[in-house]
Amino acid sequence: MPRIWYAYVGGNPQEPSSWFRATVKPSCVTGSNLCAIYAYNGDINPAPFSINLSNYISNALINSVPQPLSPAGAKKYVYLKS
């Protein structure tokens, strides 16, 4: 199943219904607010989140940096914005 970008539209960030499909890669990367996730395609909303993606969302909210942090150079699955 391919991954695509989803934009945060508000609500509980741990619920797929709070994210809608995006047709472009986000230009946001760092900030204090959730912006986008790179998640498995579930159509309009992403497929149910893996434990890793749920952890990345929580960590992003705590640290205000894209996730995952390591290893260095790893693909980021959670982006934030100012």
Side-chain angles (χ1 to χ4, degrees):
M1 182 182 319
R3 292 180 190 261
I4 61 172
W5 287 104
Y6 288 90
Y8 181 61
V9 295
N12 180 348
Q14 296 289 355
E15 292 293 327
S17 61
S18 297
W19 302 88
F20 284 174
R21 176 192 290 252
T23 58
V24 297
K25 182 177 178 180
S27 60
C28 57
V29 177
T30 304
S32 57
N33 299 300
L34 289 171
C35 176
I37 58 172
Y38 195 57
Y40 286 116
N41 184 358
D43 200 24
I44 298 295
N45 306 105
F49 297 154
S50 67
I51 296 296
N52 283 344
L53 184 55
S54 290
N55 288 338
Y56 295 157
I57 292 168
S58 296
N59 292 344
L61 289 168
I62 291 169
N63 296 327
S64 296
V65 294
Q67 295 293 315
L69 287 176
S70 62
K75 170 77 175 165
K76 304 301 184 204
Y77 293 97
V78 178
Y79 282 14
L80 300 118
K81 65 182 177 180
S82 298

